[in-house]
Amino acid sequence: MTWEIVVGLETHTQLLTESKIFSGASTAFGAAPNTQASAVDIALPGVLPVLNAKAVEFAIRLGLAIGATIAPRSVFARKNYFYPDLPKGYQISQYELPVVQNGSLKIATEGGEKTIRILRAHLEEDAGKSLHEDFKGMSGIDLNRAGTPLLEIVTEPDMRGAKEAVAYARALHTLVRWIGICDGNMQEGSFRCDANVSVRRPGEPLGTRCEIKNLNSFRFMEQAIEYEARRQVELIEDGGKVVQETRLYDPDRNETRSMRSKEDAQDYRYFPDPDLLPLVIAAAEVERVRATLPELPQAKKERFVGQFGLTPYDAELLTGARESADYFESLVRESGAEAKLCANWQNGELAAALNRDGLEIARSPVPAPSLGALVKRIADGTISGKIAKEVFEAMWRGEGSPDAIIEARGLKQISDSGAIEKLVDEVLAANAKQVEDYRAGKEKAFNSLVGQVMKATKGKANPGQVNEILKKKLAG
Ligand code: ADP
Ligand code: MG
């Protein structure tokens, strides 16, 4: 009996504003505890929240980037619950009327492209943090994070399985960084996902879901969803029932554990916050923000396929981050070479070297114009692709421009047909057996002869020419 895994994701993205959503306190990460908590953030009596316009602009950016409706009027609500890191006793969020409604995001799956519907994205404030280390028998409270602006982005239950959920989370992660609204730092908690997981037999209505909280890496997300789905299937097959609850993923043991039974919306006693006016966004403001958006990852990916003839796979890799896509466009421009050759170099040698040294592309020791100068020398026949790898390594180590390295090491390809002909004659004379084999129909013998000529020139002979001249001589 097969089971279908159904996943819906809720993602909390911390917005890159300098100050908090309802106060002027700084949002910078890593300050000493409680040094960035203003009277508003610690909820002293009599204070009033003032909405940060930048946070609203960022919500609009995201909404436009996912093709959503920007609500002309949305409402802040109080979500009431008690917790030590929530000084007001309620979180200001949006409930019935969120600012962003009904968008979508495309993801690449094994079965091709798939559209994931995004039901809503709403603005809210983050809570503080409880600190359990460093205190014996007590907990510390750090309210620096209290009031940090969040945009919570909620999908429909459209993903089937852990791989699709991760593909969506990655696409969203790319997008929020691309449009500059979130730094995407998962370790610091700037991009946190909750996964809602249920299982059903195909064709059945949706099963009861469990929500797994605070998945802070893509790998953990995949493992947690897979574990949770397996747990639910086993439970049902043993005659049990899934209970709706909130669970925590423990990466050390690779399992999810029950944290609390799931609250219903009514437990939170939501009501409109009387301290804040409804958020009214004029159409002109939406258009102003739209004009500031860059070309988006999906559009760029389609253009890389359409305009440059790249495979969707290459285009997907190159548009994984805006810096990477910018690098590629600069590489194509500077090299004047075929886009495919450029893609092979960026996704091959360059990606491997960056990965090996743990570097972001923006910090590459070989910037796009330099790699472009190298690729240009492959394209114009000065060096072979193989020699270019040696030149690239030298560039990586800071030995200079490709032309200087090619010159200093004498790596120029030998394209003088007279010189190559002479070498071919020598190789043919010294390898009578292979020549005989080739003439007897053994194709492999030909490759071996090419190899010998290349070896004699330390790889510098123009391989195309060697092939041509050899063929001519062997036929004659
Ligand atoms: P809540 O507000 O209680 O978290 P929502 O109804 O807003 O609940 O849903 C939260 C998330 O759970 C959404 O991403 C939604 O797609 C997902 N979800 C809802 N039902 C299911 C289900 N049966 N299986 C998997 N995911 C689900
Ligand atoms: Mg939820």
mmCIF file of all heavy atoms in Angstrom, residues 77-116:
data_model
loop_
_atom_site.group_PDB
_atom_site.id
_atom_site.type_symbol
_atom_site.label_atom_id
_atom_site.label_comp_id
_atom_site.label_asym_id
_atom_site.label_seq_id
_atom_site.Cartn_x
_atom_site.Cartn_y
_atom_site.Cartn_z
ATOM 1 N N ALA A 77 -3.373 42.337 14.638
ATOM 2 C CA ALA A 77 -4.183 41.719 15.682
ATOM 3 C C ALA A 77 -3.295 41.307 16.848
ATOM 4 O O ALA A 77 -2.081 41.163 16.687
ATOM 5 C CB ALA A 77 -4.906 40.495 15.119
ATOM 6 N N ARG A 78 -3.906 41.134 17.992
ATOM 7 C CA ARG A 78 -3.165 40.629 19.146
ATOM 8 C C ARG A 78 -3.373 39.123 19.251
ATOM 9 O O ARG A 78 -4.505 38.652 19.265
ATOM 10 C CB ARG A 78 -3.656 41.294 20.428
ATOM 11 C CG ARG A 78 -3.297 42.759 20.479
ATOM 12 C CD ARG A 78 -3.683 43.357 21.820
ATOM 13 N NE ARG A 78 -3.319 44.759 21.857
ATOM 14 C CZ ARG A 78 -3.529 45.553 22.916
ATOM 15 N NH1 ARG A 78 -4.129 45.060 24.010
ATOM 16 N NH2 ARG A 78 -3.152 46.816 22.881
ATOM 17 N N LYS A 79 -2.267 38.410 19.340
ATOM 18 C CA LYS A 79 -2.316 36.956 19.536
ATOM 19 C C LYS A 79 -1.882 36.741 20.985
ATOM 20 O O LYS A 79 -0.707 36.946 21.329
ATOM 21 C CB LYS A 79 -1.345 36.292 18.556
ATOM 22 C CG LYS A 79 -1.267 34.782 18.652
ATOM 23 C CD LYS A 79 -0.272 34.246 17.612
ATOM 24 C CE LYS A 79 -0.210 32.728 17.654
ATOM 25 N NZ LYS A 79 0.719 32.212 16.624
ATOM 26 N N ASN A 80 -2.817 36.372 21.818
ATOM 27 C CA ASN A 80 -2.561 36.337 23.258
ATOM 28 C C ASN A 80 -2.050 34.982 23.740
ATOM 29 O O ASN A 80 -2.662 33.955 23.484
ATOM 30 C CB ASN A 80 -3.860 36.657 24.007
ATOM 31 C CG ASN A 80 -4.370 38.043 23.675
ATOM 32 O OD1 ASN A 80 -3.926 39.036 24.231
ATOM 33 N ND2 ASN A 80 -5.298 38.118 22.728
ATOM 34 N N TYR A 81 -0.916 34.992 24.400
ATOM 35 C CA TYR A 81 -0.445 33.791 25.093
ATOM 36 C C TYR A 81 0.580 34.215 26.126
ATOM 37 O O TYR A 81 1.128 35.324 26.061
ATOM 38 C CB TYR A 81 0.130 32.758 24.120
ATOM 39 C CG TYR A 81 1.378 33.144 23.364
ATOM 40 C CD1 TYR A 81 2.646 32.849 23.864
ATOM 41 C CD2 TYR A 81 1.285 33.789 22.129
ATOM 42 C CE1 TYR A 81 3.793 33.185 23.151
ATOM 43 C CE2 TYR A 81 2.425 34.129 21.419
ATOM 44 C CZ TYR A 81 3.679 33.829 21.932
ATOM 45 O OH TYR A 81 4.816 34.169 21.229
ATOM 46 N N PHE A 82 0.798 33.361 27.102
ATOM 47 C CA PHE A 82 1.764 33.702 28.138
ATOM 48 C C PHE A 82 3.069 32.976 27.904
ATOM 49 O O PHE A 82 3.105 31.769 27.744
ATOM 50 C CB PHE A 82 1.238 33.346 29.529
ATOM 51 C CG PHE A 82 2.287 33.572 30.567
ATOM 52 C CD1 PHE A 82 2.555 34.860 31.012
ATOM 53 C CD2 PHE A 82 3.068 32.525 31.045
ATOM 54 C CE1 PHE A 82 3.588 35.093 31.918
ATOM 55 C CE2 PHE A 82 4.088 32.755 31.956
ATOM 56 C CZ PHE A 82 4.342 34.041 32.384
ATOM 57 N N TYR A 83 4.151 33.701 27.891
ATOM 58 C CA TYR A 83 5.467 33.091 27.856
ATOM 59 C C TYR A 83 6.458 34.126 28.368
ATOM 60 O O TYR A 83 6.302 35.319 28.102
ATOM 61 C CB TYR A 83 5.821 32.647 26.416
ATOM 62 C CG TYR A 83 6.812 31.514 26.416
ATOM 63 C CD1 TYR A 83 6.415 30.226 26.795
ATOM 64 C CD2 TYR A 83 8.145 31.719 26.076
ATOM 65 C CE1 TYR A 83 7.325 29.188 26.840
ATOM 66 C CE2 TYR A 83 9.060 30.680 26.111
ATOM 67 C CZ TYR A 83 8.649 29.417 26.495
ATOM 68 O OH TYR A 83 9.556 28.392 26.542
ATOM 69 N N PRO A 84 7.469 33.701 29.111
ATOM 70 C CA PRO A 84 8.373 34.678 29.734
ATOM 71 C C PRO A 84 9.084 35.612 28.745
ATOM 72 O O PRO A 84 9.434 36.736 29.115
ATOM 73 C CB PRO A 84 9.396 33.804 30.457
ATOM 74 C CG PRO A 84 8.703 32.508 30.684
ATOM 75 C CD PRO A 84 7.752 32.331 29.540
ATOM 76 N N ASP A 85 9.292 35.146 27.493
ATOM 77 C CA ASP A 85 10.011 36.023 26.560
ATOM 78 C C ASP A 85 9.062 36.940 25.780
ATOM 79 O O ASP A 85 9.456 37.556 24.791
ATOM 80 C CB ASP A 85 10.903 35.201 25.617
ATOM 81 C CG ASP A 85 10.107 34.252 24.733
ATOM 82 O OD1 ASP A 85 8.891 34.434 24.579
ATOM 83 O OD2 ASP A 85 10.722 33.297 24.200
ATOM 84 N N LEU A 86 7.801 37.020 26.226
ATOM 85 C CA LEU A 86 6.808 37.860 25.542
ATOM 86 C C LEU A 86 6.237 38.854 26.553
ATOM 87 O O LEU A 86 5.199 38.614 27.171
ATOM 88 C CB LEU A 86 5.689 36.971 24.977
ATOM 89 C CG LEU A 86 4.666 37.657 24.078
ATOM 90 C CD1 LEU A 86 5.254 37.939 22.708
ATOM 91 C CD2 LEU A 86 3.406 36.801 23.944
ATOM 92 N N PRO A 87 6.912 40.005 26.748
ATOM 93 C CA PRO A 87 6.561 40.886 27.875
ATOM 94 C C PRO A 87 5.131 41.428 27.834
ATOM 95 O O PRO A 87 4.527 41.614 28.892
ATOM 96 C CB PRO A 87 7.561 42.042 27.757
ATOM 97 C CG PRO A 87 8.580 41.627 26.785
ATOM 98 C CD PRO A 87 8.046 40.501 25.977
ATOM 99 N N LYS A 88 4.585 41.676 26.665
ATOM 100 C CA LYS A 88 3.238 42.241 26.619
ATOM 101 C C LYS A 88 2.160 41.217 26.956
ATOM 102 O O LYS A 88 1.034 41.580 27.270
ATOM 103 C CB LYS A 88 2.931 42.795 25.206
ATOM 104 C CG LYS A 88 3.701 44.045 24.835
ATOM 105 C CD LYS A 88 3.117 44.754 23.622
ATOM 106 C CE LYS A 88 3.147 43.941 22.349
ATOM 107 N NZ LYS A 88 4.512 43.629 21.869
ATOM 108 N N GLY A 89 2.493 39.934 26.856
ATOM 109 C CA GLY A 89 1.459 38.906 27.039
ATOM 110 C C GLY A 89 0.690 38.672 25.746
ATOM 111 O O GLY A 89 -0.245 37.886 25.699
ATOM 112 N N TYR A 90 1.062 39.366 24.703
ATOM 113 C CA TYR A 90 0.501 39.098 23.369
ATOM 114 C C TYR A 90 1.532 39.475 22.324
ATOM 115 O O TYR A 90 2.423 40.292 22.575
ATOM 116 C CB TYR A 90 -0.808 39.873 23.142
ATOM 117 C CG TYR A 90 -0.683 41.382 23.222
ATOM 118 C CD1 TYR A 90 -0.310 42.128 22.102
ATOM 119 C CD2 TYR A 90 -0.933 42.070 24.416
ATOM 120 C CE1 TYR A 90 -0.197 43.504 22.165
ATOM 121 C CE2 TYR A 90 -0.814 43.448 24.490
ATOM 122 C CZ TYR A 90 -0.444 44.163 23.365
ATOM 123 O OH TYR A 90 -0.314 45.529 23.420
ATOM 124 N N GLN A 91 1.397 38.834 21.172
ATOM 125 C CA GLN A 91 2.270 39.144 20.039
ATOM 126 C C GLN A 91 1.433 39.924 19.039
ATOM 127 O O GLN A 91 0.291 39.543 18.755
ATOM 128 C CB GLN A 91 2.748 37.833 19.402
ATOM 129 C CG GLN A 91 3.576 38.019 18.138
ATOM 130 C CD GLN A 91 3.731 36.708 17.348
ATOM 131 O OE1 GLN A 91 2.876 35.835 17.406
ATOM 132 N NE2 GLN A 91 4.825 36.590 16.607
ATOM 133 N N ILE A 92 1.985 41.020 18.519
ATOM 134 C CA ILE A 92 1.258 41.725 17.466
ATOM 135 C C ILE A 92 1.547 41.017 16.146
ATOM 136 O O ILE A 92 2.708 40.814 15.772
ATOM 137 C CB ILE A 92 1.664 43.212 17.370
ATOM 138 C CG1 ILE A 92 1.475 43.902 18.723
ATOM 139 C CG2 ILE A 92 0.846 43.916 16.273
ATOM 140 C CD1 ILE A 92 1.914 45.369 18.731
ATOM 141 N N SER A 93 0.458 40.588 15.494
ATOM 142 C CA SER A 93 0.572 39.820 14.263
ATOM 143 C C SER A 93 -0.565 40.248 13.349
ATOM 144 O O SER A 93 -1.285 41.203 13.657
ATOM 145 C CB SER A 93 0.474 38.327 14.616
ATOM 146 O OG SER A 93 0.603 37.533 13.460
ATOM 147 N N GLN A 94 -0.714 39.577 12.225
ATOM 148 C CA GLN A 94 -1.893 39.827 11.393
ATOM 149 C C GLN A 94 -2.632 38.507 11.302
ATOM 150 O O GLN A 94 -2.027 37.448 11.199
ATOM 151 C CB GLN A 94 -1.484 40.320 9.997
ATOM 152 C CG GLN A 94 -0.805 41.672 10.040
ATOM 153 C CD GLN A 94 -0.604 42.238 8.645
ATOM 154 O OE1 GLN A 94 -0.019 41.585 7.791
ATOM 155 N NE2 GLN A 94 -1.083 43.462 8.421
ATOM 156 N N TYR A 95 -3.941 38.558 11.372
ATOM 157 C CA TYR A 95 -4.688 37.313 11.445
ATOM 158 C C TYR A 95 -5.664 37.181 10.290
ATOM 159 O O TYR A 95 -5.349 36.589 9.264
ATOM 160 C CB TYR A 95 -5.367 37.223 12.808
ATOM 161 C CG TYR A 95 -6.148 35.961 13.027
ATOM 162 C CD1 TYR A 95 -5.531 34.718 12.904
ATOM 163 C CD2 TYR A 95 -7.496 36.001 13.365
ATOM 164 C CE1 TYR A 95 -6.241 33.551 13.095
ATOM 165 C CE2 TYR A 95 -8.216 34.833 13.568
ATOM 166 C CZ TYR A 95 -7.583 33.616 13.425
ATOM 167 O OH TYR A 95 -8.292 32.473 13.612
ATOM 168 N N GLU A 96 -6.824 37.823 10.420
ATOM 169 C CA GLU A 96 -7.824 37.643 9.365
ATOM 170 C C GLU A 96 -7.456 38.348 8.063
ATOM 171 O O GLU A 96 -7.760 37.862 6.992
ATOM 172 C CB GLU A 96 -9.187 38.131 9.846
ATOM 173 C CG GLU A 96 -9.904 37.070 10.645
ATOM 174 C CD GLU A 96 -11.083 37.626 11.412
ATOM 175 O OE1 GLU A 96 -11.026 38.791 11.832
ATOM 176 O OE2 GLU A 96 -12.058 36.891 11.602
ATOM 177 N N LEU A 97 -6.831 39.496 8.193
ATOM 178 C CA LEU A 97 -6.503 40.264 6.988
ATOM 179 C C LEU A 97 -4.999 40.499 6.893
ATOM 180 O O LEU A 97 -4.485 41.515 7.343
ATOM 181 C CB LEU A 97 -7.228 41.615 7.016
ATOM 182 C CG LEU A 97 -8.735 41.573 6.743
ATOM 183 C CD1 LEU A 97 -9.364 42.951 6.993
ATOM 184 C CD2 LEU A 97 -9.032 41.109 5.316
ATOM 185 N N PRO A 98 -4.265 39.555 6.286
ATOM 186 C CA PRO A 98 -2.813 39.726 6.132
ATOM 187 C C PRO A 98 -2.483 40.654 4.963
ATOM 188 O O PRO A 98 -3.299 40.836 4.058
ATOM 189 C CB PRO A 98 -2.316 38.306 5.841
ATOM 190 C CG PRO A 98 -3.472 37.627 5.195
ATOM 191 C CD PRO A 98 -4.731 38.263 5.757
ATOM 192 N N VAL A 99 -1.291 41.211 4.982
ATOM 193 C CA VAL A 99 -0.914 42.196 3.961
ATOM 194 C C VAL A 99 -0.700 41.563 2.587
ATOM 195 O O VAL A 99 -0.950 42.178 1.553
ATOM 196 C CB VAL A 99 0.315 43.021 4.429
ATOM 197 C CG1 VAL A 99 1.523 42.136 4.705
ATOM 198 C CG2 VAL A 99 0.691 44.085 3.412
ATOM 199 N N VAL A 100 -0.243 40.291 2.560
ATOM 200 C CA VAL A 100 0.021 39.615 1.282
ATOM 201 C C VAL A 100 -0.888 38.385 1.166
ATOM 202 O O VAL A 100 -0.943 37.566 2.082
ATOM 203 C CB VAL A 100 1.507 39.178 1.200
ATOM 204 C CG1 VAL A 100 1.751 38.297 -0.028
ATOM 205 C CG2 VAL A 100 2.426 40.393 1.166
ATOM 206 N N GLN A 101 -1.595 38.278 0.053
ATOM 207 C CA GLN A 101 -2.550 37.173 -0.106
ATOM 208 C C GLN A 101 -2.433 36.512 -1.484
ATOM 209 O O GLN A 101 -2.345 37.191 -2.499
ATOM 210 C CB GLN A 101 -3.988 37.708 0.078
ATOM 211 C CG GLN A 101 -4.191 38.383 1.435
ATOM 212 C CD GLN A 101 -5.522 39.124 1.544
ATOM 213 O OE1 GLN A 101 -6.392 38.993 0.694
ATOM 214 N NE2 GLN A 101 -5.675 39.905 2.598
ATOM 215 N N ASN A 102 -2.438 35.175 -1.465
ATOM 216 C CA ASN A 102 -2.552 34.385 -2.709
ATOM 217 C C ASN A 102 -1.458 34.629 -3.745
ATOM 218 O O ASN A 102 -1.707 35.146 -4.831
ATOM 219 C CB ASN A 102 -3.912 34.610 -3.377
ATOM 220 C CG ASN A 102 -5.045 34.217 -2.466
ATOM 221 O OD1 ASN A 102 -4.983 33.168 -1.816
ATOM 222 N ND2 ASN A 102 -6.053 35.062 -2.374
ATOM 223 N N GLY A 103 -0.266 34.191 -3.419
ATOM 224 C CA GLY A 103 0.829 34.214 -4.386
ATOM 225 C C GLY A 103 1.237 32.791 -4.724
ATOM 226 O O GLY A 103 0.522 31.831 -4.396
ATOM 227 N N SER A 104 2.382 32.645 -5.382
ATOM 228 C CA SER A 104 2.883 31.295 -5.660
ATOM 229 C C SER A 104 4.370 31.351 -5.997
ATOM 230 O O SER A 104 4.921 32.413 -6.293
ATOM 231 C CB SER A 104 2.125 30.659 -6.829
ATOM 232 O OG SER A 104 2.422 31.361 -8.019
ATOM 233 N N LEU A 105 4.976 30.191 -5.928
ATOM 234 C CA LEU A 105 6.406 30.073 -6.219
ATOM 235 C C LEU A 105 6.603 28.795 -7.016
ATOM 236 O O LEU A 105 5.999 27.764 -6.691
ATOM 237 C CB LEU A 105 7.175 30.008 -4.894
ATOM 238 C CG LEU A 105 8.641 30.365 -4.897
ATOM 239 C CD1 LEU A 105 8.879 31.759 -5.461
ATOM 240 C CD2 LEU A 105 9.193 30.302 -3.471
ATOM 241 N N LYS A 106 7.439 28.866 -8.055
ATOM 242 C CA LYS A 106 7.698 27.665 -8.860
ATOM 243 C C LYS A 106 8.917 26.944 -8.307
ATOM 244 O O LYS A 106 9.891 27.574 -7.926
ATOM 245 C CB LYS A 106 7.951 28.049 -10.318
ATOM 246 C CG LYS A 106 6.679 28.315 -11.079
ATOM 247 C CD LYS A 106 6.945 28.395 -12.570
ATOM 248 C CE LYS A 106 5.646 28.733 -13.294
ATOM 249 N NZ LYS A 106 5.901 29.521 -14.502
ATOM 250 N N ILE A 107 8.843 25.609 -8.289
ATOM 251 C CA ILE A 107 10.012 24.837 -7.862
ATOM 252 C C ILE A 107 10.325 23.792 -8.929
ATOM 253 O O ILE A 107 9.452 23.408 -9.708
ATOM 254 C CB ILE A 107 9.781 24.125 -6.500
ATOM 255 C CG1 ILE A 107 8.594 23.153 -6.584
ATOM 256 C CG2 ILE A 107 9.575 25.130 -5.387
ATOM 257 C CD1 ILE A 107 8.507 22.205 -5.400
ATOM 258 N N ALA A 108 11.588 23.356 -8.940
ATOM 259 C CA ALA A 108 11.980 22.277 -9.855
ATOM 260 C C ALA A 108 11.863 20.962 -9.101
ATOM 261 O O ALA A 108 12.381 20.826 -7.996
ATOM 262 C CB ALA A 108 13.412 22.499 -10.321
ATOM 263 N N THR A 109 11.121 20.004 -9.659
ATOM 264 C CA THR A 109 11.017 18.680 -9.035
ATOM 265 C C THR A 109 11.484 17.640 -10.051
ATOM 266 O O THR A 109 11.714 17.965 -11.209
ATOM 267 C CB THR A 109 9.562 18.345 -8.647
ATOM 268 O OG1 THR A 109 8.816 18.104 -9.854
ATOM 269 C CG2 THR A 109 8.913 19.471 -7.877
ATOM 270 N N GLU A 110 11.575 16.382 -9.583
ATOM 271 C CA GLU A 110 11.994 15.316 -10.505
ATOM 272 C C GLU A 110 11.028 15.219 -11.678
ATOM 273 O O GLU A 110 11.415 14.914 -12.796
ATOM 274 C CB GLU A 110 12.078 13.988 -9.758
ATOM 275 C CG GLU A 110 13.414 13.829 -9.052
ATOM 276 C CD GLU A 110 13.419 12.691 -8.059
ATOM 277 O OE1 GLU A 110 12.436 11.915 -8.022
ATOM 278 O OE2 GLU A 110 14.404 12.586 -7.313
ATOM 279 N N GLY A 111 9.749 15.488 -11.413
ATOM 280 C CA GLY A 111 8.746 15.395 -12.477
ATOM 281 C C GLY A 111 8.574 16.702 -13.244
ATOM 282 O O GLY A 111 7.555 16.899 -13.894
ATOM 283 N N GLY A 112 9.522 17.625 -13.142
ATOM 284 C CA GLY A 112 9.416 18.902 -13.845
ATOM 285 C C GLY A 112 9.038 20.038 -12.910
ATOM 286 O O GLY A 112 9.050 19.872 -11.689
ATOM 287 N N GLU A 113 8.688 21.168 -13.506
ATOM 288 C CA GLU A 113 8.379 22.353 -12.706
ATOM 289 C C GLU A 113 7.020 22.202 -12.023
ATOM 290 O O GLU A 113 6.101 21.618 -12.585
ATOM 291 C CB GLU A 113 8.361 23.564 -13.632
ATOM 292 C CG GLU A 113 8.902 24.803 -12.983
ATOM 293 C CD GLU A 113 9.183 25.885 -14.019
ATOM 294 O OE1 GLU A 113 8.261 26.236 -14.762
ATOM 295 O OE2 GLU A 113 10.326 26.371 -14.054
ATOM 296 N N LYS A 114 6.914 22.747 -10.808
ATOM 297 C CA LYS A 114 5.658 22.644 -10.071
ATOM 298 C C LYS A 114 5.387 23.965 -9.361
ATOM 299 O O LYS A 114 6.316 24.610 -8.877
ATOM 300 C CB LYS A 114 5.776 21.500 -9.055
ATOM 301 C CG LYS A 114 4.559 21.330 -8.186
ATOM 302 C CD LYS A 114 4.622 20.046 -7.374
ATOM 303 C CE LYS A 114 3.450 20.015 -6.411
ATOM 304 N NZ LYS A 114 3.391 18.780 -5.632
ATOM 305 N N THR A 115 4.130 24.361 -9.317
ATOM 306 C CA THR A 115 3.769 25.617 -8.667
ATOM 307 C C THR A 115 3.259 25.346 -7.247
ATOM 308 O O THR A 115 2.373 24.536 -7.059
ATOM 309 C CB THR A 115 2.670 26.333 -9.475
ATOM 310 O OG1 THR A 115 3.186 26.608 -10.772
ATOM 311 C CG2 THR A 115 2.267 27.641 -8.810
ATOM 312 N N ILE A 116 3.863 26.007 -6.283
ATOM 313 C CA ILE A 116 3.410 25.888 -4.889
ATOM 314 C C ILE A 116 2.630 27.158 -4.556
ATOM 315 O O ILE A 116 3.148 28.269 -4.697
ATOM 316 C CB ILE A 116 4.613 25.749 -3.926
ATOM 317 C CG1 ILE A 116 5.521 24.576 -4.348
ATOM 318 C CG2 ILE A 116 4.132 25.605 -2.481
ATOM 319 C CD1 ILE A 116 4.868 23.223 -4.345
#
